[in-house]
Amino acid sequence: MKSELNEQALLQGLANNDTKAIETIYKQNYNMVQTFVLNNNGTYDEARDIFQEAMIALYEKAKSESFVLTCKINTYVYSVCRRLWLKRLQQLGKFSSSVESLEETVSVEEDIEIHRKRNAEYNIMERALGSMGEPCKSLLEGYYIKKMDMQALAKEFGYTNADNAKNQKYKCLMRLKKMFFAQYNIGE
Amino acid sequence: MEDILLLQAIERYLDGTMLPAERAYFEELRNNTHEIDQMVVEHSMFLHQMDSFSGRQTMQHSLQNVHAKLLSMGDINEGGEQTAKTKVVNIWNKYKRVATIAAAVGGGIALMISTLVAYFNPISPDVTRLGVQLKQTQNQVAALSNEIIKSKIPTKAPITGGGSSFLIDGKGYLITNAHVLDGATSATVYNEEGKEFSAIIAYKNDEKDLAILKIEDEDFQPIKNLPYSIRKTNADLGDEIYTIGFPNFPRTDVVYNVGYLSSVKGYNGDTLTCQIQMSANPGNSGGPVFNKKGEVIGVLSTKLSKADGVSFAIKSKNIYQLVEDFKKADTTSSNIKMLNTTTLNNDDRVSQVKKISNYVYMVKAYRK
């Protein structure tokens, strides 16, 4: 019972981007995943990429409202990594039918599908932001990503007052939204 | 302008900063006007997208940092070489307290570290063979570094050549090609602003065609953390790559160029190098080749004389080997540390290049 509570607290920490929680989950699971990838045709770099992708999937799952984890964290992480790595092997044409399994696994197909969708959305936003010119890009990043307040932003960008910066920000935001939705609607 | 006001109102409505009366008015407006209702829904969804984007970006950063931290603590490790380093770190951590009490022990630890590094990193027997292959390559491939006409250079010491280089350790250790330094005894390096620093040739391996320069100049400010890492494993076929260098030697304008990895092997199947599809010019020699994550995957060194746009880069894992050899030859160098994790992963190309170009230097080699 106690370990279940711990796991719940860890996931809560992960959702809040708490370094201590991330470190604990990382430490408890990384070596297992690395061993699996290395044993199955992969490199250290690939192991790191796969593991971090699974961590992102877990983070986004933990953040969502409908979140329930029905198994232990390590089973979940291992299952996601395994599935992602098999997919990657298939893409590379290196697929071997006898991929060994070190741990028990749970079905994560649905979660991976959700993750894939979120990946696509992330990429669309990244592209849309990337195609914005300056100072729009930095202004929007400052406000919406770094969560700086308008006063500080106005100062950093040299606007005479916060209202001017705010106006500029809204103009930029409209352009960004247009770009995002143009891609989003095709992409979906 | 009207759109902006509306957007502003929607944003205030969504983040709850509207006054109750204003809010009631807006809600009524929303109920009665289908378009505004639509806009509110759309904007709320968009803000949600921005939020997850921002959250994921922060998470990616945290993961990179945690990875680097656990790696240095020895909680995770990435292969034999890392194990050795980690062990050294562990031993160092263990002795750190002792060292503060008895400074004299310091010398002993330094000796121990270098012995350990030597012990845990035997040279692979393949290295010499690969080196010979490179020599054959060099006969047929034109070296990219500049041959300088002496009269054009206004110094007393004859300039023997030049090229590009990049920092692998913020303390002032640079990597360049050995052929850039052919016939030279010293070098000066220039940053993108044209600022000059004197450097010594710390280590050179002609077979690998790699060399280490060390900046020894009072004006040089050591850099605490380099933004990029050196990749230990090979890049993949088709990977998009780019380079930053000084092809306009001896002018110090940084030039950016982009291409892709066209073969994991170099000229005539050479496994020490890889082939990249990218035009390169004299002066690019010794420059770093990056993948899109901002990891160094190679050192640009040669190009095919006959065909345009076919260039070769020495794979980055050779840098690790070179540094290990250097540490064996010179125990004072055992403090060279290379990063495993790039911090540029989430940056777009423009800001990657902006951050990197501070650490790429032009080399001017001369004979005293």
Side-chain angles (χ1 to χ4, degrees), chain B residues 55 67 89 114 122 146 176 185 197 212 215-216 265 275:
Chain B
H67 189 90
V89 169
S114 52
N146 262 325
T176 187
T185 57
F197 304 98
I212 300 173
I215 298 180
E216 300 223 318
K265 289 184 179 168
Q275 183 182 318

Side-chain angles (χ1 to χ4, degrees), chain B residues 129-130 132-141 263-275 302-304 306 310-312 315:
Chain B
R129 198 178 68 235
L130 299 179
V132 174
Q133 281 177 328
L134 182 74
K135 269 187 182 156
Q136 289 168 350
T137 312
Q138 273 179 334
N139 293 336
Q140 293 161 58
V141 183
S263 167
V264 289
K265 289 184 179 168
Y267 189 74
N268 268 352
D270 178 19
T271 51
L272 195 65
T273 56
C274 55
Q275 183 182 318
T302 48
K303 69 170 178 180
L304 260 194
K306 280 175 268 173
V310 182
S311 308
F312 300 99
K315 293 174 187 170

